[in-house]
Amino acid sequence: MQKVTWYETKRNTYKKINSYQRFMIEPYIGKNDNGTKFLRIRTKYIDERAEYHDTKWIFYEKVQLLGDNGTNIFIITDYPEKKSDNDSYGLTEWSDNLLDSDSFLKLAESKNIKAKFYGKYSYEFRLNRNQLNAIKEIAERYKNL
């Protein structure tokens, strides 16, 4: 219905923190039938501990991506783009947001990227190889579309 073609990576874009916590950073491209293209990013936090009282909500409201080349991107993850759920499999917080293409393309030139999820609680980590390669792959595809 939207007449949009989506371009996504096939890479696993999760970073496993421990046996029950994972973070996802996953950029992707949309291209309208009229030729205009845009970048989006999915972010997600998963805590697979099944018991509600054991879970660690982050309640993240923004995500920062900081490249070693000085590129700094803040992604505001407010509702309604931000969602959360808690069930017998644990909790999940996720968001799907637009990205500024110029900043993203510059970020993709970095050799290392740090991510920080900000909220009631914060968590910072360095992107793993798959996450970093997904950013580079999507940036290259975006430039070539």
Side-chain angles (χ1 to χ4, degrees):
M1 293 285 220
Q2 290 180 318
K3 297 186 179 187
V4 175
T5 303
W6 301 103
Y7 299 90
E8 301 174 332
T9 184
K10 293 184 188 265
R11 297 175 191 276
N12 176 352
T13 57
Y14 284 95
K15 171 142 184 165
K16 193 171 193 173
I17 303 302
N18 51 42
S19 63
Y20 51 86
Q21 289 178 305
R22 291 181 290 153
F23 287 88
M24 180 180 78
I25 303 284
E26 185 177 80
Y28 65 104
I29 305 165
K31 184 176 179 187
N32 292 310
D33 281 353
N34 66 9
T36 59
K37 57 189 178 180
F38 54 95
L39 287 163
R40 296 192 65 84
I41 191 163
R42 292 182 193 104
T43 57
K44 187 182 287 188
Y45 167 67
I46 298 172
D47 185 327
E48 294 176 343
R49 291 177 288 190
E51 294 186 37
Y52 181 79
H53 67 279
D54 284 339
T55 57
K56 300 258 192 273
W57 291 92
I58 292 179
F59 299 108
Y60 74 90
E61 299 167 346
K62 66 182 172 182
V63 175
Q64 178 184 14
L65 298 174
L66 178 61
D68 61 6
N69 65 358
T71 306
N72 195 7
I73 297 175
F74 281 96
I75 304 155
I76 305 302
T77 58
D78 288 334
Y79 291 94
E81 288 85 11
K82 173 85 185 303
K83 309 284 186 213
S84 58
D85 191 21
N86 191 3
D87 58 25
S88 61
Y89 299 105
L91 70 86
T92 306
E93 298 179 58
W94 69 97
S95 189
D96 189 331
N97 302 89
L98 280 170
L99 276 173
D100 174 70
S101 60
D102 291 337
S103 297
F104 178 76
L105 294 175
K106 187 173 178 193
L107 179 72
E109 297 171 2
S110 298
K111 291 184 177 131
N112 292 295
I113 299 173
K114 290 182 185 176
K116 186 167 185 177
F117 283 60
Y118 290 89
K120 181 176 180 184
Y121 303 100
S122 296
Y123 202 91
E124 182 178 325
F125 59 93
R126 186 176 305 278
L127 269 58
N128 64 27
R129 183 175 305 222
N130 272 344
Q131 291 171 321
L132 186 60
N133 287 337
I135 287 174
K136 292 180 180 303
E137 172 189 323
I138 293 298
E140 193 61 34
R141 187 137 210 207
Y142 183 84
K143 289 188 278 189
N144 293 324
L145 278 179

